[in-house]
Amino acid sequence: MTAVEAGEVAAAPFEDGAAGGGAGGDGGVLGRAYRALTVGIVSVVLVIAFEATAVGTAMPVAARELDGVALYAFAFSGYFTTSLFGMVLAGQWSDRDGPLTSLATGIGAFAAGLLLSGTAGGMWTFILGRAVQGLGGGLVIVALYVVVGRAYPQRLRPAIMASFAAAWVVPSVVGPLAAGAVTEHLGWRWVFLGIPALVGVPLALALPQIRRRASGPAGTAGRAPLDRRRIRLALGIALGAGLLQYAAQDLRPLSLVPGAAGAALIVPAVRGLLPHGTWRAARGLPSVVLLRGVSAGAFIAAESFVPLMLVTQRGLSPTLAGLSLAAGGGTWALGSWVQARPGVEPYRDRLMFLGMLLVAAAVAAAPSVLIPAVPVWTVAVAWAFGCFGMGLVIASTSVLLLQLSAPEEAGANSAALQISDALSNVLLLAVGGAAFAALGGGTVAGTATGAASGAPASHPAAFAAVFLPMACVALLGAWVTTRLRTTPAPAPVIDKAPEEPSGAM
């Protein structure tokens, strides 16, 4: 996600009219019963958001200084591949012992990876740090979903999911600018070394509340053993994703070997880790998991190429190219806020259908700026609508997943949702990158100077080969929204907030 318009959007998700108590009463996510927990876990998301937006700004400088530009892509794939394994492990761990240990371990690994990358003397050590960080990120994100499922009643879950989206708003604006200033005046290492210092306060707020509200095994069956088969499948999917990314970066015939090996590892792993019927869009939970991957993968694969297209084809500076997507952070949070409103539940499927249509339209409209007569601001307007659609869809998939999951399955199903998200990002980025390179896009990166000086930019078809297929994938997601429920949407549920012990915050 990218930037924001006003602070109102960030504050709005915390209001809870459905609870009857609003933000200041006992029944809202910022009411007395939930205030410390909400502030703590949203602060965790805020730290992760700052990392995601800031590290990307410092990464090119780090790669050049470490003489590792040729290995640049592995700094990203290392994170994604280990996060896939971390997601499965977190699902198992959370269902077995509760989310507390997974969350604490994940934050610790996340901070350790940042420190390792920030002190790296070579590119491979830097990549190892990113891999450790990815493992921690995978553990954290699934644990947070389990916390929401256990600690908050159903009526508050849309609001807390919207709050997660709102936590990305300020980092979307401040993160890249702050990282650029730190990189320029203090050095890129301080971007990595400074973020771990922000972890202490969220931990101090969240962990005691999680221990009280969401600790221990799910259900009444007691502490179940870890599913070693799922852990082996998780290792397979992580390794397979890494091999596919490597093959997609190298279009020589020899790259078919790691590509085939990666596919051979991924296919059985996906069949074992995602709900049965996911790939044929079976009604209910399988379609929810599939929609998460389709929507996130199509959108992120397209968004990754927007700044490059604006710099090389229309001559914008990198800063202006990034700022062209600034409104997206605010409209994404706005979409998440809309899905959290009282009375939306019976119409959630229709809102998600509308959201996917907006995503498809935004992705299809973006390459129109390849035509010189089309104003550059067209991308900013289109992306604002697309991000609004993503806000409707992403938060709603999380809400539906928790509705359709038994308590003892919340960890595994949350892991499946995140695996679908991350794996689709990897696969669709690989497909888009291969199409981009096949049509000469590999030479586009060197045309920025020429574009800025008015020289004709080359290879616009390479960008169209990324955006138009991703728009078709988003349209497929619109069809998947028609298969999210096995029965008509229920009437809104009014949950009573659990009684709060005396002396609680």
Side-chain angles (χ1 to χ4, degrees):
M1 290 191 299
T2 46
V4 60
E5 293 183 61
E8 290 181 351
V9 177
F14 294 105
E15 300 170 3
D16 185 39
D26 288 349
V29 295
L30 278 183
R32 185 167 58 90
Y34 298 101
R35 185 181 302 128
L37 177 62
T38 297
V39 172
I41 63 176
V42 171
S43 297
V44 170
V45 175
L46 187 69
V47 171
I48 292 174
F50 265 113
E51 182 277 336
T53 55
V55 166
T57 303
M59 196 84 74
V61 180
R64 286 197 301 268
E65 185 173 314
L66 296 174
D67 194 24
V69 174
L71 301 173
Y72 182 78
F74 288 99
F76 292 96
S77 62
Y79 183 98
F80 283 124
T81 53
T82 54
S83 68
L84 285 167
F85 176 71
M87 290 169 189
V88 177
L89 183 59
Q92 293 275 301
W93 211 346
S94 296
D95 286 341
R96 181 174 182 256
D97 299 319
L100 180 64
T101 305
S102 177
L103 181 63
T105 304
I107 290 177
F110 191 81
L114 285 166
L115 292 173
L116 184 58
S117 292
T119 57
M123 192 61 181
W124 281 114
T125 305
F126 182 86
I127 292 170
L128 176 62
R130 290 287 291 164
V132 173
Q133 187 186 344
L135 177 65
L139 289 170
V140 168
I141 190 64
V142 171
L144 286 177
Y145 274 65
V146 176
V147 169
V148 171
R150 289 196 185 190
Y152 292 88
Q154 183 173 322
R155 63 182 169 81
L156 293 184
R157 292 172 191 166
I160 194 64
M161 292 300 177
S163 302
F164 286 173
W168 280 80
V169 170
V170 172
S172 297
V173 180
V174 177
L177 297 177
V182 170
T183 300
E184 182 178 349
H185 297 291
L186 298 178
W188 65 267
R189 295 182 184 275
W190 286 103
V191 175
F192 291 84
L193 297 176
I195 294 175
L198 304 176
V199 172
V201 172
L203 278 179
L205 286 170
L207 294 186
Q209 292 293 316
I210 294 172
R211 182 179 294 110
R212 184 167 61 86
R213 293 178 178 273
S215 61
T220 58
R223 197 168 184 260
L226 291 175
D227 188 337
R228 297 182 183 277
R229 175 178 173 272
R230 289 183 67 85
I231 294 177
R232 288 195 299 269
L233 291 175
L235 285 171
I237 201 172
L239 179 58
L243 289 171
L244 281 178
Q245 281 192 318
Y246 173 81
Q249 295 172 34
D250 187 354
L251 297 180
R252 296 178 301 172
L254 190 61
S255 66
L256 292 174
V257 176
L265 288 169
I266 282 180
V267 171
V270 165
R271 292 174 62 89
L273 292 173
L274 300 187
H276 180 69
T278 296
W279 295 114
R280 57 182 174 84
R283 288 191 176 275
L285 182 63
S287 287
V288 174
V289 172
L290 177 61
L291 178 63
R292 179 59 166 261
V294 167
S295 58
F299 187 81
I300 296 301
E303 187 177 55
S304 299
F305 285 87
V306 168
L308 182 63
M309 178 176 66
L310 294 176
V311 169
T312 61
Q313 303 299 304
R314 297 303 297 264
L316 270 65
S317 68
T319 300
L320 286 177
L323 289 176
S324 69
L325 306 178
T331 57
W332 189 310
L334 179 61
S336 297
W337 178 82
V338 168
Q339 65 80 39
R341 293 302 83 202
V344 158
E345 188 60 37
Y347 311 103
R348 187 175 297 280
D349 300 1
R350 299 178 191 176
L351 283 178
M352 296 172 78
F353 179 79
L354 172 62
M356 289 311 303
L357 290 183
L358 290 174
V359 172
V363 173
S368 66
V369 298
L370 294 169
I371 303 171
V374 175
V376 173
W377 50 259
T378 301
V379 171
V381 174
W383 225 248
F385 281 98
C387 286
F388 178 77
M390 286 294 288
L392 292 174
V393 172
I394 295 299
S396 289
T397 57
S398 303
V399 172
L400 286 177
L401 177 105
L402 294 174
Q403 287 180 3
L404 297 171
S405 299
E408 65 274 12
E409 297 174 344
N413 289 342
S414 296
L417 191 76
Q418 297 302 324
I419 289 169
S420 178
D421 187 321
L423 184 60
S424 293
N425 287 342
V426 171
L427 296 181
L428 290 180
L429 275 168
V431 169
F436 185 72
L439 290 177
T443 63
V444 170
T447 67
T449 302
S453 62
S458 59
H459 305 299
F463 290 99
V466 174
F467 287 97
L468 298 183
M470 296 307 154
C472 294
V473 174
L475 285 176
L476 174 64
W479 171 76
V480 175
T481 64
T482 66
R483 303 182 61 79
L484 297 178
R485 298 186 191 269
T486 56
T487 59
V493 176
I494 305 299
D495 290 329
K496 291 182 63 179
E499 293 185 5
E500 185 72 6
S502 59
M505 293 182 64

